[in-house]
PDB file of all heavy atoms in Angstrom:
ATOM      1  N   SER T   1      20.163  -0.616  10.470  1.00 95.00           N
ATOM      2  CA  SER T   1      20.333   0.207   9.222  1.00 95.00           C
ATOM      3  C   SER T   1      20.823  -0.727   8.152  1.00 95.00           C
ATOM      4  O   SER T   1      21.977  -1.282   8.309  1.00 95.00           O
ATOM      5  CB  SER T   1      21.323   1.380   9.478  1.00 95.00           C
ATOM      6  OG  SER T   1      21.660   2.017   8.373  1.00 95.00           O
ATOM      7  N   LEU T   2      20.163  -0.949   7.074  1.00 97.00           N
ATOM      8  CA  LEU T   2      20.589  -1.756   5.995  1.00 97.00           C
ATOM      9  C   LEU T   2      20.282  -0.966   4.674  1.00 97.00           C
ATOM     10  O   LEU T   2      19.142  -0.775   4.478  1.00 97.00           O
ATOM     11  CB  LEU T   2      19.851  -3.093   5.990  1.00 97.00           C
ATOM     12  CG  LEU T   2      20.070  -4.060   5.071  1.00 97.00           C
ATOM     13  CD1 LEU T   2      21.573  -4.491   5.013  1.00 97.00           C
ATOM     14  CD2 LEU T   2      19.128  -5.340   5.339  1.00 97.00           C
ATOM     15  N   LYS T   3      21.295  -0.856   3.830  1.00 98.00           N
ATOM     16  CA  LYS T   3      21.151  -0.065   2.646  1.00 98.00           C
ATOM     17  C   LYS T   3      21.642  -0.934   1.434  1.00 98.00           C
ATOM     18  O   LYS T   3      22.573  -1.672   1.532  1.00 98.00           O
ATOM     19  CB  LYS T   3      22.152   1.204   2.641  1.00 98.00           C
ATOM     20  CG  LYS T   3      22.214   1.984   3.931  1.00 98.00           C
ATOM     21  CD  LYS T   3      20.716   2.619   4.241  1.00 98.00           C
ATOM     22  CE  LYS T   3      20.738   3.377   5.540  1.00 98.00           C
ATOM     23  NZ  LYS T   3      19.426   3.836   5.987  1.00 98.00           N
ATOM     24  N   PHE T   4      20.806  -1.008   0.355  1.00 98.00           N
ATOM     25  CA  PHE T   4      20.923  -1.775  -0.813  1.00 98.00           C
ATOM     26  C   PHE T   4      21.227  -0.903  -2.023  1.00 98.00           C
ATOM     27  O   PHE T   4      20.562   0.152  -2.235  1.00 98.00           O
ATOM     28  CB  PHE T   4      19.832  -2.630  -1.036  1.00 98.00           C
ATOM     29  CG  PHE T   4      19.649  -3.781  -0.094  1.00 98.00           C
ATOM     30  CD1 PHE T   4      18.669  -3.776   0.889  1.00 98.00           C
ATOM     31  CD2 PHE T   4      20.507  -4.919  -0.201  1.00 98.00           C
ATOM     32  CE1 PHE T   4      18.561  -4.822   1.757  1.00 98.00           C
ATOM     33  CE2 PHE T   4      20.377  -5.922   0.629  1.00 98.00           C
ATOM     34  CZ  PHE T   4      19.364  -5.897   1.649  1.00 98.00           C
ATOM     35  N   ARG T   5      22.148  -1.366  -2.841  1.00 98.00           N
ATOM     36  CA  ARG T   5      22.200  -0.855  -4.190  1.00 98.00           C
ATOM     37  C   ARG T   5      21.580  -1.906  -5.212  1.00 98.00           C
ATOM     38  O   ARG T   5      21.929  -3.005  -5.164  1.00 98.00           O
ATOM     39  CB  ARG T   5      23.776  -0.616  -4.644  1.00 98.00           C
ATOM     40  CG  ARG T   5      23.898  -0.218  -6.072  1.00 98.00           C
ATOM     41  CD  ARG T   5      23.285   1.226  -6.281  1.00 98.00           C
ATOM     42  NE  ARG T   5      23.519   1.736  -7.548  1.00 98.00           N
ATOM     43  CZ  ARG T   5      22.707   1.789  -8.646  1.00 98.00           C
ATOM     44  NH1 ARG T   5      21.471   1.188  -8.428  1.00 98.00           N
ATOM     45  NH2 ARG T   5      22.970   2.340  -9.780  1.00 98.00           N
ATOM     46  N   GLU T   6      20.489  -1.520  -5.822  1.00 97.00           N
ATOM     47  CA  GLU T   6      19.706  -2.258  -6.625  1.00 97.00           C
ATOM     48  C   GLU T   6      20.313  -2.336  -7.997  1.00 97.00           C
ATOM     49  O   GLU T   6      20.746  -1.328  -8.652  1.00 97.00           O
ATOM     50  CB  GLU T   6      18.253  -1.900  -6.760  1.00 97.00           C
ATOM     51  CG  GLU T   6      17.292  -2.893  -7.277  1.00 97.00           C
ATOM     52  CD  GLU T   6      17.223  -2.935  -8.750  1.00 97.00           C
ATOM     53  OE1 GLU T   6      17.555  -1.824  -9.448  1.00 97.00           O
ATOM     54  OE2 GLU T   6      16.900  -4.001  -9.294  1.00 97.00           O
ATOM     55  N   VAL T   7      20.496  -3.614  -8.592  1.00 98.00           N
ATOM     56  CA  VAL T   7      20.981  -3.691  -9.949  1.00 98.00           C
ATOM     57  C   VAL T   7      19.925  -4.533 -10.722  1.00 98.00           C
ATOM     58  O   VAL T   7      19.542  -5.756 -10.417  1.00 98.00           O
ATOM     59  CB  VAL T   7      22.343  -4.513  -9.967  1.00 98.00           C
ATOM     60  CG1 VAL T   7      22.696  -4.812 -11.422  1.00 98.00           C
ATOM     61  CG2 VAL T   7      23.372  -3.751  -9.267  1.00 98.00           C
ATOM     62  N   SER T   8      19.370  -3.908 -11.864  1.00 97.00           N
ATOM     63  CA  SER T   8      18.447  -4.607 -12.713  1.00 97.00           C
ATOM     64  C   SER T   8      19.175  -5.246 -13.840  1.00 97.00           C
ATOM     65  O   SER T   8      19.647  -4.626 -14.717  1.00 97.00           O
ATOM     66  CB  SER T   8      17.387  -3.590 -13.229  1.00 97.00           C
ATOM     67  OG  SER T   8      16.598  -4.224 -14.142  1.00 97.00           O
ATOM     68  N   ALA T   9      19.479  -6.515 -13.551  1.00 96.00           N
ATOM     69  CA  ALA T   9      20.447  -7.302 -14.563  1.00 96.00           C
ATOM     70  C   ALA T   9      19.710  -7.897 -15.628  1.00 96.00           C
ATOM     71  O   ALA T   9      19.610  -9.188 -15.868  1.00 96.00           O
ATOM     72  CB  ALA T   9      21.263  -8.284 -13.810  1.00 96.00           C
ATOM     73  N   GLY T  10      18.942  -7.133 -16.420  1.00 94.00           N
ATOM     74  CA  GLY T  10      18.233  -7.654 -17.597  1.00 94.00           C
ATOM     75  C   GLY T  10      16.703  -7.911 -17.235  1.00 94.00           C
ATOM     76  O   GLY T  10      16.038  -8.733 -17.970  1.00 94.00           O
ATOM     77  N   GLY T  11      16.177  -7.423 -16.184  1.00 91.00           N
ATOM     78  CA  GLY T  11      14.919  -7.649 -15.740  1.00 91.00           C
ATOM     79  C   GLY T  11      13.810  -7.009 -16.548  1.00 91.00           C
ATOM     80  O   GLY T  11      14.171  -6.000 -17.325  1.00 91.00           O
ATOM     81  N   CYS T  12      12.530  -7.280 -16.450  1.00 94.00           N
ATOM     82  CA  CYS T  12      11.382  -6.833 -17.123  1.00 94.00           C
ATOM     83  C   CYS T  12      10.838  -5.618 -16.344  1.00 94.00           C
ATOM     84  O   CYS T  12       9.814  -4.972 -16.780  1.00 94.00           O
ATOM     85  CB  CYS T  12      10.415  -7.879 -17.332  1.00 94.00           C
ATOM     86  SG  CYS T  12       9.495  -8.324 -15.871  1.00 94.00           S
ATOM     87  N   ASN T  13      11.241  -5.169 -15.165  1.00 94.00           N
ATOM     88  CA  ASN T  13      10.840  -4.168 -14.217  1.00 94.00           C
ATOM     89  C   ASN T  13       9.702  -4.573 -13.480  1.00 94.00           C
ATOM     90  O   ASN T  13       9.299  -3.726 -12.579  1.00 94.00           O
ATOM     91  CB  ASN T  13      10.510  -2.940 -15.173  1.00 94.00           C
ATOM     92  CG  ASN T  13      10.570  -1.653 -14.362  1.00 94.00           C
ATOM     93  OD1 ASN T  13      11.494  -1.477 -13.518  1.00 94.00           O
ATOM     94  ND2 ASN T  13       9.584  -0.795 -14.459  1.00 94.00           N
ATOM     95  N   ALA T  14       9.322  -5.770 -13.471  1.00 96.00           N
ATOM     96  CA  ALA T  14       8.255  -6.201 -12.477  1.00 96.00           C
ATOM     97  C   ALA T  14       8.718  -6.359 -11.089  1.00 96.00           C
ATOM     98  O   ALA T  14       8.152  -5.762 -10.080  1.00 96.00           O
ATOM     99  CB  ALA T  14       7.605  -7.476 -12.926  1.00 96.00           C
ATOM    100  N   CYS T  15       9.833  -7.075 -10.829  1.00 97.00           N
ATOM    101  CA  CYS T  15      10.385  -7.152  -9.524  1.00 97.00           C
ATOM    102  C   CYS T  15      10.942  -5.838  -9.030  1.00 97.00           C
ATOM    103  O   CYS T  15      10.791  -5.465  -7.850  1.00 97.00           O
ATOM    104  CB  CYS T  15      11.641  -8.095  -9.646  1.00 97.00           C
ATOM    105  SG  CYS T  15      11.150  -9.848  -9.914  1.00 97.00           S
ATOM    106  N   GLU T  16      11.448  -4.926  -9.913  1.00 96.00           N
ATOM    107  CA  GLU T  16      11.941  -3.640  -9.497  1.00 96.00           C
ATOM    108  C   GLU T  16      10.672  -2.818  -8.997  1.00 96.00           C
ATOM    109  O   GLU T  16      10.799  -2.042  -8.026  1.00 96.00           O
ATOM    110  CB  GLU T  16      12.620  -2.923 -10.700  1.00 96.00           C
ATOM    111  CG  GLU T  16      13.849  -3.644 -11.297  1.00 96.00           C
ATOM    112  CD  GLU T  16      13.601  -4.791 -12.217  1.00 96.00           C
ATOM    113  OE1 GLU T  16      12.459  -5.284 -12.379  1.00 96.00           O
ATOM    114  OE2 GLU T  16      14.629  -5.023 -12.945  1.00 96.00           O
ATOM    115  N   ALA T  17       9.551  -2.894  -9.739  1.00 96.00           N
ATOM    116  CA  ALA T  17       8.362  -2.167  -9.356  1.00 96.00           C
ATOM    117  C   ALA T  17       7.809  -2.595  -7.914  1.00 96.00           C
ATOM    118  O   ALA T  17       7.542  -1.661  -7.093  1.00 96.00           O
ATOM    119  CB  ALA T  17       7.323  -2.325 -10.370  1.00 96.00           C
ATOM    120  N   ASP T  18       7.851  -3.884  -7.749  1.00 95.00           N
ATOM    121  CA  ASP T  18       7.316  -4.317  -6.461  1.00 95.00           C
ATOM    122  C   ASP T  18       8.260  -4.098  -5.311  1.00 95.00           C
ATOM    123  O   ASP T  18       7.843  -3.967  -4.111  1.00 95.00           O
ATOM    124  CB  ASP T  18       6.923  -5.819  -6.548  1.00 95.00           C
ATOM    125  CG  ASP T  18       5.499  -6.000  -7.070  1.00 95.00           C
ATOM    126  OD1 ASP T  18       4.964  -5.037  -7.560  1.00 95.00           O
ATOM    127  OD2 ASP T  18       4.897  -7.238  -6.879  1.00 95.00           O
ATOM    128  N   SER T  19       9.502  -4.115  -5.530  1.00 96.00           N
ATOM    129  CA  SER T  19      10.580  -3.663  -4.643  1.00 96.00           C
ATOM    130  C   SER T  19      10.396  -2.086  -4.345  1.00 96.00           C
ATOM    131  O   SER T  19      10.361  -1.712  -3.087  1.00 96.00           O
ATOM    132  CB  SER T  19      11.971  -3.889  -5.069  1.00 96.00           C
ATOM    133  OG  SER T  19      12.146  -5.237  -5.329  1.00 96.00           O
ATOM    134  N   ASN T  20      10.123  -1.317  -5.282  1.00 95.00           N
ATOM    135  CA  ASN T  20      10.033   0.165  -5.110  1.00 95.00           C
ATOM    136  C   ASN T  20       8.676   0.483  -4.316  1.00 95.00           C
ATOM    137  O   ASN T  20       8.620   1.414  -3.615  1.00 95.00           O
ATOM    138  CB  ASN T  20       9.935   0.818  -6.485  1.00 95.00           C
ATOM    139  CG  ASN T  20       9.891   2.295  -6.277  1.00 95.00           C
ATOM    140  OD1 ASN T  20      10.777   2.925  -5.762  1.00 95.00           O
ATOM    141  ND2 ASN T  20       8.787   2.975  -6.941  1.00 95.00           N
ATOM    142  N   VAL T  21       7.646  -0.456  -4.451  1.00 95.00           N
ATOM    143  CA  VAL T  21       6.384  -0.220  -3.648  1.00 95.00           C
ATOM    144  C   VAL T  21       6.573  -0.132  -2.251  1.00 95.00           C
ATOM    145  O   VAL T  21       6.045   0.593  -1.514  1.00 95.00           O
ATOM    146  CB  VAL T  21       5.414  -1.325  -4.031  1.00 95.00           C
ATOM    147  CG1 VAL T  21       4.322  -1.339  -2.986  1.00 95.00           C
ATOM    148  CG2 VAL T  21       4.793  -1.149  -5.357  1.00 95.00           C
ATOM    149  N   LEU T  22       7.580  -0.795  -1.779  1.00 96.00           N
ATOM    150  CA  LEU T  22       7.901  -0.822  -0.280  1.00 96.00           C
ATOM    151  C   LEU T  22       8.370   0.536   0.256  1.00 96.00           C
ATOM    152  O   LEU T  22       8.413   0.792   1.384  1.00 96.00           O
ATOM    153  CB  LEU T  22       9.086  -1.987  -0.025  1.00 96.00           C
ATOM    154  CG  LEU T  22       8.599  -3.418  -0.221  1.00 96.00           C
ATOM    155  CD1 LEU T  22       9.708  -4.314  -0.037  1.00 96.00           C
ATOM    156  CD2 LEU T  22       7.491  -3.752   0.890  1.00 96.00           C
ATOM    157  N   THR T  23       8.883   1.371  -0.701  1.00 95.00           N
ATOM    158  CA  THR T  23       9.427   2.608  -0.265  1.00 95.00           C
ATOM    159  C   THR T  23       8.265   3.708  -0.203  1.00 95.00           C
ATOM    160  O   THR T  23       8.514   4.828   0.338  1.00 95.00           O
ATOM    161  CB  THR T  23      10.405   3.225  -1.208  1.00 95.00           C
ATOM    162  OG1 THR T  23       9.919   3.361  -2.548  1.00 95.00           O
ATOM    163  CG2 THR T  23      11.581   2.085  -1.338  1.00 95.00           C
ATOM    164  N   THR T  24       6.967   3.286  -0.487  1.00 93.00           N
ATOM    165  CA  THR T  24       5.923   4.237  -0.607  1.00 93.00           C
ATOM    166  C   THR T  24       5.312   4.305   0.886  1.00 93.00           C
ATOM    167  O   THR T  24       5.701   3.540   1.808  1.00 93.00           O
ATOM    168  CB  THR T  24       4.762   3.805  -1.524  1.00 93.00           C
ATOM    169  OG1 THR T  24       4.369   2.483  -0.985  1.00 93.00           O
ATOM    170  CG2 THR T  24       5.246   3.736  -2.883  1.00 93.00           C
ATOM    171  N   ILE T  25       4.368   5.284   1.119  1.00 90.00           N
ATOM    172  CA  ILE T  25       3.941   5.613   2.405  1.00 90.00           C
ATOM    173  C   ILE T  25       3.164   4.458   2.976  1.00 90.00           C
ATOM    174  O   ILE T  25       3.179   4.215   4.223  1.00 90.00           O
ATOM    175  CB  ILE T  25       3.077   6.858   2.355  1.00 90.00           C
ATOM    176  CG1 ILE T  25       2.772   7.374   3.761  1.00 90.00           C
ATOM    177  CG2 ILE T  25       1.859   6.685   1.581  1.00 90.00           C
ATOM    178  CD1 ILE T  25       2.065   8.669   3.804  1.00 90.00           C
ATOM    179  N   GLY T  26       2.528   3.676   2.205  1.00 90.00           N
ATOM    180  CA  GLY T  26       1.786   2.556   2.688  1.00 90.00           C
ATOM    181  C   GLY T  26       2.626   1.474   3.328  1.00 90.00           C
ATOM    182  O   GLY T  26       2.084   0.866   4.333  1.00 90.00           O
ATOM    183  N   TRP T  27       3.727   1.247   2.845  1.00 94.00           N
ATOM    184  CA  TRP T  27       4.706   0.209   3.426  1.00 94.00           C
ATOM    185  C   TRP T  27       5.769   0.830   4.327  1.00 94.00           C
ATOM    186  O   TRP T  27       6.098   0.293   5.334  1.00 94.00           O
ATOM    187  CB  TRP T  27       5.341  -0.680   2.278  1.00 94.00           C
ATOM    188  CG  TRP T  27       4.328  -1.460   1.457  1.00 94.00           C
ATOM    189  CD1 TRP T  27       3.564  -0.976   0.428  1.00 94.00           C
ATOM    190  CD2 TRP T  27       3.906  -2.813   1.755  1.00 94.00           C
ATOM    191  NE1 TRP T  27       2.728  -2.112  -0.012  1.00 94.00           N
ATOM    192  CE2 TRP T  27       2.894  -3.215   0.812  1.00 94.00           C
ATOM    193  CE3 TRP T  27       4.301  -3.736   2.719  1.00 94.00           C
ATOM    194  CZ2 TRP T  27       2.417  -4.360   0.741  1.00 94.00           C
ATOM    195  CZ3 TRP T  27       3.724  -4.936   2.648  1.00 94.00           C
ATOM    196  CH2 TRP T  27       2.732  -5.347   1.596  1.00 94.00           C
ATOM    197  N   ASP T  28       6.293   1.915   3.809  1.00 94.00           N
ATOM    198  CA  ASP T  28       7.369   2.697   4.600  1.00 94.00           C
ATOM    199  C   ASP T  28       8.498   1.846   4.991  1.00 94.00           C
ATOM    200  O   ASP T  28       8.699   1.581   6.302  1.00 94.00           O
ATOM    201  CB  ASP T  28       6.643   3.383   5.720  1.00 94.00           C
ATOM    202  CG  ASP T  28       7.602   4.433   6.360  1.00 94.00           C
ATOM    203  OD1 ASP T  28       8.697   4.682   5.803  1.00 94.00           O
ATOM    204  OD2 ASP T  28       7.380   4.834   7.532  1.00 94.00           O
ATOM    205  N   LEU T  29       9.265   1.277   4.094  1.00 95.00           N
ATOM    206  CA  LEU T  29      10.393   0.387   4.353  1.00 95.00           C
ATOM    207  C   LEU T  29      11.395   1.148   5.226  1.00 95.00           C
ATOM    208  O   LEU T  29      12.089   0.539   6.030  1.00 95.00           O
ATOM    209  CB  LEU T  29      11.048  -0.003   2.997  1.00 95.00           C
ATOM    210  CG  LEU T  29      12.125  -1.135   3.057  1.00 95.00           C
ATOM    211  CD1 LEU T  29      11.639  -2.353   3.628  1.00 95.00           C
ATOM    212  CD2 LEU T  29      12.767  -1.149   1.755  1.00 95.00           C
ATOM    213  N   GLY T  30      11.561   2.474   5.165  1.00 95.00           N
ATOM    214  CA  GLY T  30      12.449   3.239   5.890  1.00 95.00           C
ATOM    215  C   GLY T  30      12.332   3.085   7.318  1.00 95.00           C
ATOM    216  O   GLY T  30      13.291   3.286   8.167  1.00 95.00           O
ATOM    217  N   ARG T  31      11.003   2.745   7.880  1.00 94.00           N
ATOM    218  CA  ARG T  31      10.877   2.681   9.285  1.00 94.00           C
ATOM    219  C   ARG T  31      11.661   1.562   9.911  1.00 94.00           C
ATOM    220  O   ARG T  31      11.829   1.542  11.186  1.00 94.00           O
ATOM    221  CB  ARG T  31       9.434   2.546   9.676  1.00 94.00           C
ATOM    222  CG  ARG T  31       8.720   1.292   9.043  1.00 94.00           C
ATOM    223  CD  ARG T  31       7.231   1.377   9.182  1.00 94.00           C
ATOM    224  NE  ARG T  31       6.593   0.378   8.274  1.00 94.00           N
ATOM    225  CZ  ARG T  31       5.615  -0.466   8.585  1.00 94.00           C
ATOM    226  NH1 ARG T  31       5.331  -0.559   9.897  1.00 94.00           N
ATOM    227  NH2 ARG T  31       5.066  -1.214   7.762  1.00 94.00           N
ATOM    228  N   PHE T  32      12.185   0.636   9.148  1.00 96.00           N
ATOM    229  CA  PHE T  32      12.929  -0.448   9.608  1.00 96.00           C
ATOM    230  C   PHE T  32      14.490  -0.180   9.370  1.00 96.00           C
ATOM    231  O   PHE T  32      15.273  -1.113   9.567  1.00 96.00           O
ATOM    232  CB  PHE T  32      12.583  -1.771   8.948  1.00 96.00           C
ATOM    233  CG  PHE T  32      11.159  -2.108   9.008  1.00 96.00           C
ATOM    234  CD1 PHE T  32      10.256  -2.022   7.952  1.00 96.00           C
ATOM    235  CD2 PHE T  32      10.544  -2.491  10.273  1.00 96.00           C
ATOM    236  CE1 PHE T  32       8.950  -2.377   7.979  1.00 96.00           C
ATOM    237  CE2 PHE T  32       9.194  -2.784  10.325  1.00 96.00           C
ATOM    238  CZ  PHE T  32       8.383  -2.709   9.292  1.00 96.00           C
ATOM    239  N   GLY T  33      14.699   0.947   8.850  1.00 96.00           N
ATOM    240  CA  GLY T  33      16.122   1.401   8.649  1.00 96.00           C
ATOM    241  C   GLY T  33      16.682   0.801   7.341  1.00 96.00           C
ATOM    242  O   GLY T  33      17.772   0.754   7.057  1.00 96.00           O
TER     243      GLY T  33
END
């Protein structure tokens, strides 16, 4: 079980978007806790 608080420290939202993709059904990051 590993939980993160994400901080966008002046980013353009590209890294944030690709991180968020992992939470979708295709990747399902939650299956790894």
Side-chain angles (χ1 to χ4, degrees):
S1 177
L2 183 56
K3 315 300 182 187
F4 287 105
R5 177 64 175 97
E6 197 273 336
V7 175
S8 178
C12 69
N13 204 42
C15 292
E16 296 86 340
D18 273 13
S19 298
N20 186 60
V21 164
L22 291 172
T23 66
T24 62
I25 190 172
W27 295 86
D28 192 14
L29 187 64
R31 62 191 160 127
F32 306 108

